[in-house]
């Protein structure tokens, strides 16, 4: 938190990760399709926290994420 003594304390968060996903589809007649994507992702979050008790806060936030997939695999 940037200012923990305030009634609504603002905060900022950064994230970095590696994401992979895989999707598969099959048809009744026997056709199959499968694809996969992999790549790095970064995110920025901003928000505010209201302290309801010494151990519990609640508040709004917004998040922005961007990523780039470096590999694409497709099987048919």
């Amino acid at each position: 938190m940037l200012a923990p003594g305030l009634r609504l304390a603002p905060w900022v968060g950064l994230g970095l990760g590696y994401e992979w996903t895989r999707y598969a589809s099959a048809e009744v007649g026997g056709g199959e399709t499968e694809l996969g994507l992999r790549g790095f992702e970064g995110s920025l979050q901003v928000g505010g926290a209201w302290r309801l008790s010494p151990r519990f806060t609640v508040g709004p936030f917004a998040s922005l994420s961007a990523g780039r997939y470096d590999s694409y695999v497709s099987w048919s």
Side-chain angles (χ1 to χ4, degrees):
M1 284 187 225
L2 299 176
L6 296 179
R7 185 171 172 93
L8 175 64
W11 57 265
V12 176
L14 296 173
L16 179 65
Y18 186 78
E19 184 172 343
W20 65 91
T21 185
R22 194 169 170 177
Y23 173 77
S25 160
E27 296 177 9
V28 175
E32 278 187 17
T33 302
E34 187 173 347
L35 63 94
L37 299 166
R38 296 178 183 172
F40 286 96
E41 174 181 78
S43 67
L44 169 69
Q45 305 96 33
V46 294
W50 282 288
R51 185 170 302 278
L52 299 180
S53 74
R55 293 187 176 190
F56 187 74
T57 60
V58 63
F61 76 96
S63 176
L64 174 67
S65 296
R68 177 181 172 148
Y69 292 111
D70 294 328
S71 65
Y72 167 79
V73 180
S74 177
W75 302 273
S76 295

